Amino acid sequence: MPSRFNLPHIDIIAFATSQGYVGEQGGGSGAVRERAAHGQRVQNELRVALAAADAVKPTDTRLEPPTGTFVEVESKRGTPPDVLDMKTQDIRTGAVKTTEANDRVIALYIPDHARPVLEEILNNYLSGPLSKVGNNPPNKKKVESIEAIRTAQFRRKGVDSGRAPYLAIGGHRSECYRLR
């Protein structure tokens, strides 16, 4: 029986290429974002989501008018869910879900009085001076944690069944959050 070291081999060295390894984003590091493109995209998504939420606000005169809006924020993998919380402005994260692709989607409550604060944060990120140490834009941690912003769509589920009510965010039945 021939030795396994004497068998014919295929030489594939000519087809080899070398590329730098880029791991999955997570932990403290990740891919560097293009500041202008990312900031403008997030700014536009926020404007569209808030305008769409304003268009569907209830106008029942028997109730107090709503004083805020919920939006869906898809966050960068490895980011804590409360990175967007601003307690002094009453901006706070609500329910959190994980999609099939293992992305985190957060329901973010934005009071009407705090909308200019978010716009200012995005403006500072886009056009503010870079820090001396690290050359980072202002509010980098908050803005770069955002992958996408969408309008949240809430529907009540499970109220008649005697179980605790659920709120569905998004258009799919699997996107449900249990109310606390």
Side-chain angles (χ1 to χ4, degrees):
M1 175 171 202
S3 165
R4 67 181 185 139
F5 299 108
N6 294 337
L7 297 176
H9 288 76
I10 299 173
D11 187 11
I12 59 170
I13 298 297
F15 302 109
T17 60
S18 176
Q19 296 177 339
Y21 173 75
V22 178
E24 188 176 297
Q25 293 182 11
S29 65
V32 176
R33 292 199 185 268
E34 186 178 332
R35 177 181 175 191
H38 179 69
Q40 289 171 352
R41 182 179 56 78
V42 169
Q43 195 174 43
N44 187 44
E45 288 175 352
L46 179 64
R47 284 185 189 139
V48 168
L50 292 176
D54 287 343
V56 296
K57 274 190 178 179
T59 56
D60 191 345
T61 58
R62 299 173 295 170
L63 301 172
E64 294 279 329
T67 59
T69 304
F70 276 95
V71 294
E72 273 186 3
V73 178
E74 185 177 327
S75 64
K76 187 165 85 172
R77 198 175 284 169
T79 305
D82 60 349
V83 72
L84 298 172
D85 280 352
M86 289 182 254
K87 293 179 182 169
T88 58
Q89 297 298 324
D90 204 25
I91 297 173
R92 56 185 190 271
T93 54
V96 178
K97 71 175 179 178
T98 305
T99 65
E100 295 85 22
N102 209 19
D103 297 325
R104 182 181 293 147
V105 179
I106 302 164
L108 183 68
Y109 176 72
I110 305 170
D112 292 338
H113 68 82
R115 288 181 180 192
V117 174
L118 285 178
E119 291 170 9
E120 183 67 25
I121 286 172
L122 290 170
N123 287 336
N124 286 342
Y125 174 79
L126 282 168
S127 58
L130 299 177
S131 66
K132 292 179 182 177
V133 177
N135 226 15
N136 295 322
N139 305 305
K140 177 184 179 195
K141 187 176 180 183
K142 283 189 185 301
V143 178
E144 290 192 358
S145 70
I146 300 171
E147 290 291 335
I149 298 177
R150 297 180 292 270
T151 305
Q153 301 170 0
F154 291 95
R155 292 181 310 279
R156 278 180 121 10
K157 293 188 178 205
V159 177
D160 296 333
S161 65
R163 298 173 58 199
Y166 284 81
L167 287 177
I169 297 181
H172 302 326
R173 178 168 273 235
S174 63
E175 300 171 346
C176 294
Y177 304 99
R178 173 162 271 186
L179 294 177
R180 294 180 195 186

